[in-house]
Amino acid sequence: MNGKLIPRLRQSLRCLLRPHAVATPLQVEQCEWKFYLDYLREGMVAFDVGAHVGELTLLFSKFVGDKGQVNAFEASRAGFQRLKAACELSGRSNIVLNHVALADREGVVKLHVYDHDHLSWSSLAERPLHKYGIPVQPVGAEEVPATTIDAFCETNTIFRVDLLKIDVEGAEYQVLLGARRMLQEKRIRCCVFEFGATTFDMGNSPEDIEGYLTGLGYTLCNIVGGDPVFPGRTSAETARFSMHMAMPKS
């Protein structure tokens, strides 16, 4: 990584540095967006995994420019149609849309889909939202073709990913498992991924994610400076929504 970039990234991660309370969801989102604005550069290759309606896809597209590329992945049919409409309306030529789930293996996965107002909650996990006091249930399920980051990059001759953003409602670990070769060879230069109750709903644990990434030579930090890695990491009931960043130790 460019030596001049490291100080900028450290400065970016100091946003909303606080000595006490863990960041609110709004503060997490502010820090996340600030990080992208500081980090992205012309010519970069970005993956938006769990692109939903394309807000971050379009942001990435603007900053990587014509010499860069954004691969956007959205699994749900309704979500993909909204993503496609937004990107086509933008007229950006550096966005590649992929109606596919990224997972730990190739095949077909079952996606639990929510209504229009909660479409971004669609997940591979069967979420017990009633346990959290949320009276929302899936409206159906879809079978979605799945591939891995390693297979996708090999098929599409992608040699590096400068930014891998993952927001897939609990299955972030499965996406990372499917990127083992790219991570092992340090061809993923920066990964930003979500943590929260959905992580546990999917059957994943912070310890597994942390051990996997550190074992492959990556360092982890909360994207909000001063907040711990995996806040409330003991259970779904205590987990706090947060975004984390992983970069090669070197």
Side-chain angles (χ1 to χ4, degrees):
M1 178 172 291
N2 189 321
K4 294 181 179 179
L5 187 56
I6 298 297
R8 287 203 301 270
L9 297 183
R10 287 176 178 160
Q11 180 63 35
S12 175
L13 292 174
R14 292 193 189 102
C15 76
L16 299 176
L17 180 65
R18 299 164 330 287
H20 301 299
V22 173
T24 66
L26 177 59
Q27 290 170 328
V28 172
E29 185 175 314
Q30 288 172 340
C31 272
E32 181 188 3
W33 278 65
K34 185 180 187 304
F35 173 76
Y36 297 142
L37 295 175
D38 289 344
Y39 175 75
L40 290 167
R41 293 291 182 272
E42 178 86 17
M44 284 186 168
V45 175
F47 277 26
D48 186 0
V49 183
H52 189 40
V53 298
E55 283 186 339
L56 287 176
T57 296
L58 294 173
L59 177 75
F60 297 169
S61 168
K62 178 179 179 180
F63 282 90
V64 304
D66 293 337
K67 295 180 181 179
Q69 186 183 85
V70 180
N71 267 283
F73 302 85
E74 176 55 40
S76 76
R77 284 194 293 268
F80 183 78
Q81 290 305 315
R82 292 168 68 181
L83 171 67
K84 183 179 178 183
C87 292
E88 288 180 348
L89 190 62
S90 75
R92 306 269 176 83
S93 61
N94 60 353
I95 298 173
V96 180
L97 301 177
N98 302 278
H99 185 196
V100 65
L102 290 181
D104 54 347
R105 60 179 61 88
E106 296 180 274
V108 176
V109 295
K110 182 180 179 182
L111 183 71
H112 302 278
V113 180
Y114 290 80
D115 61 27
H116 181 275
D117 291 340
H118 303 92
L119 188 60
S120 64
W121 294 9
S122 298
S123 174
L124 299 183
E126 294 188 53
R127 302 200 62 203
L129 294 177
H130 61 280
K131 287 177 56 178
Y132 312 140
I134 303 173
V136 177
Q137 295 293 327
V139 295
E142 297 174 5
E143 288 195 340
V144 181
T147 188
T148 67
I149 286 179
D150 284 343
F152 182 87
C153 289
E154 183 175 357
T155 300
N156 292 278
T157 321
I158 296 173
F159 298 105
R160 77 174 199 280
V161 178
D162 297 294
L163 174 64
L164 170 60
K165 167 258 166 182
I166 315 172
D167 180 356
V168 288
E169 298 302 303
E172 287 77 12
Y173 185 37
Q174 281 65 36
V175 176
L176 290 167
L177 288 172
R180 177 179 290 274
R181 186 176 66 250
M182 291 287 289
L183 289 165
Q184 205 161 31
E185 296 174 2
K186 306 300 183 292
R187 290 195 278 150
I188 295 177
R189 298 178 176 178
C190 176
C191 175
V192 175
F193 62 94
E194 179 183 301
F195 166 75
T198 55
T199 305
F200 292 94
D201 293 342
M202 190 65 195
N204 296 324
S205 76
E207 290 74 23
D208 287 343
I209 300 170
E210 194 168 35
Y212 175 71
L213 288 170
T214 57
L216 291 174
Y218 282 73
T219 58
L220 272 171
C221 67
N222 194 311
I223 208 162
V224 179
D227 276 4
V229 174
F230 302 123
R233 62 191 293 155
T234 56
S235 69
E237 287 73 23
T238 59
R240 297 292 299 271
F241 165 72
S242 49
M243 299 296 294
H244 290 75
M245 185 177 72
M247 281 187 168
K249 291 177 182 177
S250 58

